[in-house]
Amino acid sequence: MPKTPETPSAAAALEAALRAQAEGWGLMAWVSATMVDHVRRTSSEMAAFARDEARRNADAMQRLAACRTAESLTDWQGDYLGETVAVCRDEAERLARMNAEVCDRTLTRMTGWRD
């Protein structure tokens, strides 16, 4: 006659539930701290970018004021647009890299916490 599996005790079930809940709370705290740190670092990066961009624009206005011919104006516009695209591309790459690092760390932590 097959033996029926033993039913776990109520204490064991409660202990398992409490252990899982504690692990969940710990993970939630870690994710929250990680996201707050990421927002802080991203905000700092964006503030630095805005500061540098304001300086670059002030310099560009001085260069614009110094243009005396249509040719020098055209040269200035091409330089300014090229620089602007390069600076924005570099900033977007930096922010994307920061986001990817946080996502990778979070994924590793959330999927590897039982290992």
Side-chain angles (χ1 to χ4, degrees):
M1 174 177 325
K3 198 174 189 183
T4 58
E6 289 185 30
T7 305
S9 70
L14 180 60
E15 186 177 320
L18 289 174
R19 230 183 0 260
Q21 184 180 26
E23 290 169 353
W25 282 112
L27 184 61
M28 283 178 25
W30 182 87
V31 168
S32 296
T34 300
M35 291 300 121
V36 166
D37 180 60
H38 178 60
V39 167
R40 180 193 55 80
R41 290 185 308 115
T42 302
S43 298
S44 176
E45 181 67 33
M46 293 295 289
F49 174 73
R51 180 200 62 224
D52 294 345
E53 192 63 13
R55 286 182 184 154
R56 199 174 73 72
N57 286 335
D59 291 343
M61 292 302 109
Q62 288 178 346
R63 286 180 31 208
L64 176 62
C67 291
R68 298 290 179 236
T69 65
E71 185 178 284
S72 65
L73 177 62
T74 304
D75 291 343
W76 172 83
Q77 285 176 327
D79 293 345
Y80 179 75
L81 290 175
E83 291 170 9
T84 300
V85 168
V87 167
C88 290
R89 181 200 63 229
D90 292 346
E91 184 65 17
E93 287 176 3
R94 189 175 304 109
L95 291 172
R97 210 172 22 258
M98 289 172 69
N99 281 330
E101 289 170 3
V102 168
C103 290
D104 286 344
R105 272 197 330 252
T106 303
L107 180 64
T108 299
R109 176 73 162 93
M110 291 181 78
T111 58
W113 64 280
R114 290 183 178 156
D115 296 337

